[in-house]
């Protein structure tokens, strides 16, 4: 039985495209809102509203599901995680408190866990039997 050799450039694209797409989705949903909302009692919230984060998650869910449905598991998990991590780092790195590093780490771990779960559930539902495409 012969094994098909994959093109390294194509394998790299399967990671770079989801990374660029998830960074662009971050910019579209969260990147434009940088102001905290001050309430009458003096408390602050934000800068993101719940609908923005929900919109980002649903958009990413659709993209990761599509990639997993086409058996691009590595690209869906690594690309999406890398894109969100870079976008959050860029967006939050001007924080004077220095706590943005914790937030970026949590974004990385959360997106890694969520995308891996979506890929695993999609593969199980489709009966792919462990066939992985980079």
């Amino acid at each position: 039985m012969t094994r098909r050799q994959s093109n390294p450039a194509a394998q790299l694209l399967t990671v770079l495209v989801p990374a660029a797409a998830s960074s662009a989705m971050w910019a579209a949903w969260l990147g434009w809102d940088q102001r905290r909302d001050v309430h009458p009692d003096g408390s602050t919230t934000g800068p993101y509203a719940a609908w923005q984060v929900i919109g980002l998650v649903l958009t990413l869910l659709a993209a990761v599901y599509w990639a997993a449905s086409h058996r691009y598991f590595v690209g869906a998990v690594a690309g999406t995680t890398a894109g969100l991590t870079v976008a959050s780092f860029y967006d939050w790195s001007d924080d004077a408190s220095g706590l943005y590093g914790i937030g970026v780490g949590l974004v990385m771990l959360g997106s890694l866990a969520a995308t891996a779960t979506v890929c695993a559930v999609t593969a199980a539902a489709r009966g792919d039997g462990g066939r992985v495409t980079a």
Side-chain angles (χ1 to χ4, degrees):
M1 181 190 269
T2 62
R3 184 174 181 161
R4 184 175 58 125
Q5 296 295 323
S6 295
N7 182 357
Q11 288 180 344
L12 183 62
L13 280 176
T14 63
V15 175
L16 290 180
V17 169
S22 59
S23 292
M25 288 180 211
W26 178 286
W29 284 103
L30 305 178
W32 55 272
D33 192 1
Q34 301 297 316
R35 232 177 11 95
R36 292 198 177 273
D37 299 321
V38 180
H39 299 284
D41 64 356
S43 64
T44 60
T45 58
Y48 313 124
W51 66 268
Q52 291 172 287
V53 177
I54 292 168
L56 174 65
V57 168
L58 292 176
T59 306
L60 288 171
L61 179 64
V64 170
Y65 173 77
W66 180 88
S69 295
H70 290 83
R71 293 195 308 264
Y72 295 119
F73 301 120
V74 174
V77 174
T80 303
T81 300
L84 289 178
T85 303
V86 168
S88 63
F89 179 82
Y90 179 78
D91 196 17
W92 298 339
S93 64
D94 61 349
D95 178 38
S97 71
L99 292 176
Y100 73 91
I102 295 170
V104 170
L106 291 174
V107 166
M108 182 185 65
L109 292 174
S111 60
L112 180 66
T115 55
T117 301
V118 169
C119 286
V121 168
T122 302
R126 292 181 55 90
D128 284 337
R131 292 184 308 240
V132 175
T133 303

